[in-house]
């Protein structure tokens, strides 16, 4: 009996690596600390009522952002571990299999569990406020989307300490991801963690398309929408076409591993190239799914801090729509070297070059917006300006990679690593940092400390170039991606050491950002205007942080940048609202079903990972019961009475008035 327990524990828990043991101890201590704090301060009820069961889009957005910051820490630690391993020739800091697991989890976490939730967090916080809505179209579905993401991310991350992480690369190409090469449960964690999270992402895309198309304020026609809202609409259109491909692809891989199918195994008559085509039919639109909202953020930030109307509004809209369409016609450039043929390579080379045109249009529009503007170099504006040279370099190297003959030299090298980090960090991360700083006062009612923010900015930017510029030269010198170690005579040591130093500078920048948030929470000055940056769009017309119902009176829009134009005509922020205009406000009630249902999906996925049908089947039955319970729930909404609305507004506006 004891031997059986020992054998099970050795298979269930990851053992033998001191780094993972340290992580297990840290996770255990953190969980004990959280339980102690919530129990000592008697906050369990508050946590359940105010957050875990909330359907308020603003709170859901904040939870997305918190998760994203935690995942940035986890993915960043993975990156620093890799850079330590590669800092000098012949380093034996990481075991080879641990290194493979780390570069796999780093890619998945940074794209799907850091960039995506940060994007969805800003969607939730900003879009309803920008279009004058009181909530999203489907508040219950919004809560379900978040918790599906959360529990999917937790299922993927738990593999680090239980069962073992996936190690077949962040896109899990067969045969590496098949049972023949990955017989453990790590790849099962990959499939079900991403699958559960992806369902939540697809639901979010549907929710925000309906919200934007059906819930805009009176007078806000499509061509009067703020540019960030346009970018969200473009991104969500891509989501609803791309994510079903990911869902089907992972399901087929699941069938290969669980029931002995042979969709992607050559010896069974399958074709691994079919997997590669399918995963990149999702994977390349995914790059634009996360970067297009960053373009929308830059448009808002540049216009606000240049104190000018965005140059070329219509061309920006058409450029976003063009990117949304073209993004589905470029996927083959990821495997030019795999024998697709000259005609196919030529077609996808041309489409890849074409997609650079609408992206270039945006860059020039931002530059023309800044031209002769009264620019204020706040932290959001600094991130927006820093993006331009960074993304230009990333775009130029992308065009080099789009030339099929050149790609035969660059493919699978560190040149490619440098390129996509240049685009994804310089475009996505810089963009979302700009948005986070810009809308932070609207979320919490105070600005983040500018001095600490600028320290973080410079460490991030200097560290970024120090880290990734050497990698272009390493790639040109023949260093391939996924290299675990290398010998002294390769000559790669000095550039790798410089790159590692850059990585740690970015780690210091993250510490500055955490310090900045903590310092600002303790020492902030409350924003009493609701318009912390002298903004242009509707979210700056209401108090900060926004009330539960957002708008006491649904606004009417007459033109683009309506709030800016009204201020030019003499309107003041937070003016008193006449009592006669107030009416009871219809709002959705909180619900525990999304949390419970998503937790059951976690257990169902965990059962599939270990092939424990005794766990999976009851969890799936519980999911069905949750669906039935929701179907027969009729008490799902309520009205906020006029007196409560009046008190809330007077509290926010009275002193200012």
């Amino acid at each position: 009996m004891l031997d059986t327990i020992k054998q099970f524990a050795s298979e269930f828990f990851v053992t033998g690596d001191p780094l993972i043991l340290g992580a297990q101890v840290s996770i255990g201590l953190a969980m004990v600390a959280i339980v102690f704090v919530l129990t000592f301060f008697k906050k369990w009820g508050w946590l359940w009522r105010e957050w875990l069961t909330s359907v308020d889009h603003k709170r859901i957005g904040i939870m997305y952002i918190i998760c994203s910051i935690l995942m940035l820490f986890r993915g960043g630690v993975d990156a620093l571990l890799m850079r330590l391993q590669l800092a000098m020739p012949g380093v034996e800091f990481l075991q080879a299999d641990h290194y493979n697991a780390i570069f796999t989890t780093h890619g998945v976490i940074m794209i799907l569990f850091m960039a995506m939730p940060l994007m969805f967090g800003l969607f939730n916080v900003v879009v309803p406020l920008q279009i004058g809505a009181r909530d999203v179209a489907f508040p219950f579905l919004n809560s379900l989307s978040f918790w599906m993401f959360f529990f999917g991310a937790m299922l993927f991350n738990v593999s680090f300490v239980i069962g073992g992480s996936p190690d077949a690369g962040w896109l899990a190409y067969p045969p590496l991801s098949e049972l023949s090469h990955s017989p453990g449960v790590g790849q099962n964690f990959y499939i079900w963690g991403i699958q559960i999270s992806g369902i939540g992402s697809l639901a979010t895309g549907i929710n925000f398309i309906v919200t934007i198309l059906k819930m805009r304020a009176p007078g806000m026609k499509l061509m009067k929408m703020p540019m960030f809202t346009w970018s969200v609409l473009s991104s969500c259109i891509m989501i609803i076409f791309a994510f079903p491909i990911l869902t089907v692809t992972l399901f087929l891989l699941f069938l290969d591993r669980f029931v002995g199918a042979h969709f992607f195994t050559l010896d069974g008559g399958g074709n691994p190239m079919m997997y590669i085509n399918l995963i990149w039919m999702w994977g390349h639109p995914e790059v634009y799914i996360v970067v297009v909202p960053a373009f929308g953020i830059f448009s808002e930030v540049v216009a606000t801090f240049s104190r000018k109307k965005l140059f070329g509004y219509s061309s920006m809209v058409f450029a976003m729509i063009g990117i949304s369409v073209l993004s589905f016609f470029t996927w083959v450039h990821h495997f030019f070297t795999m024998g697709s043929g000259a005609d196919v390579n030529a077609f996808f080379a041309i489409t890849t070059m074409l997609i650079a045109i609408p992206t270039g249009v945006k860059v020039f529009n931002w530059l023309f917006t800044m031209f002769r503007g009264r620019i204020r170099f706040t932290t959001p504006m600094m991130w927006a300006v820093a993006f331009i040279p960074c993304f230009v370099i990333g775009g130029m190297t992308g065009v080099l990679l789009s030339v099929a003959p050149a790609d035969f030299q660059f493919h699978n090298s560190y040149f490619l690593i440098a390129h996509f980090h240049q685009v994804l960090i310089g475009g996505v991360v810089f963009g979302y940092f700009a948005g986070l700083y810009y809308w932070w006062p609207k979320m919490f009612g105070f600005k983040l400390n500018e001095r600490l923010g600028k320290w973080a900015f410079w460490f991030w930017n200097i560290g970024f170039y120090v880290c990734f510029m050497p990698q272009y030269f390493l790639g040109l010198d023949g260093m391939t991606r996924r290299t675990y170690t290398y010998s002294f005579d390769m000559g790669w040591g000095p550039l790798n050491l410089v790159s590692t130093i850059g990585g740690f500078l970015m780690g210091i920048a993250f510490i500055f950002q955490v310090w900045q948030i903590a310092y600002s929470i303790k020492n902030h000055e409350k924003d009493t205007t609701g318009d912390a940056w002298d903004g242009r769009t509707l979210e700056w017309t209401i108090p900060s942080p926004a009330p539960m119902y957002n708008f006491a009176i649904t606004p009417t829009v007459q033109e683009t940048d309506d709030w800016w134009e009204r201020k030019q005509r003499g309107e003041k922020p937070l003016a008193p609202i006449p009592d006669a205009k107030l009416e009871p406000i219809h709002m959705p009630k909180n619900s525990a079903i999304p949390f419970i249902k998503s937790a059951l999906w976690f257990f169902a996925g965990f059962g599939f990972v270990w092939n424990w049908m005794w766990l999976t089947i009851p969890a799936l039955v519980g999911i069905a019961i949750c669906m039935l319970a929701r179907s027969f729930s009729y008490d799902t909404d309520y009205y906020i009475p006029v007196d409560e609305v009046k008190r809330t507004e007077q509290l926010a506006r009275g002193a200012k008035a």
Side-chain angles (χ1 to χ4, degrees), residues 211-225:
T211 300
I212 293 168
L213 294 181
K214 301 297 291 183
M215 298 185 67
R216 300 190 307 279
M220 184 180 283
K221 297 181 179 179
L222 285 173
M223 294 305 287
K224 291 181 181 177
M225 289 197 309

Side-chain angles (χ1 to χ4, degrees), residues 63-84:
M63 289 191 288
Y64 268 122
I65 290 168
I66 292 171
C67 290
S68 175
I69 293 171
L70 293 174
M71 290 297 100
L72 178 60
F73 172 75
R74 163 74 206 276
V77 169
D78 283 347
L80 295 181
L81 291 175
M82 286 189 287
R83 288 314 319 163
L84 282 173

Side-chain angles (χ1 to χ4, degrees), residues 241 287 388 453:
F241 286 104
V287 173
I388 294 176

Side-chain angles (χ1 to χ4, degrees), residues 184-200:
V185 297
Q187 208 56 44
N188 301 344
F189 277 112
Y190 175 96
I191 291 170
W192 284 102
I194 296 176
Q195 195 75 292
I196 292 169
S197 176
I199 294 170

Side-chain angles (χ1 to χ4, degrees), residues 465-479:
Y465 286 103
V466 171
C467 182
F468 293 108
M469 285 299 146
Q471 294 181 15
Y472 284 113
F473 296 99
L474 285 167
L476 293 173
D477 202 28
M479 184 173 177

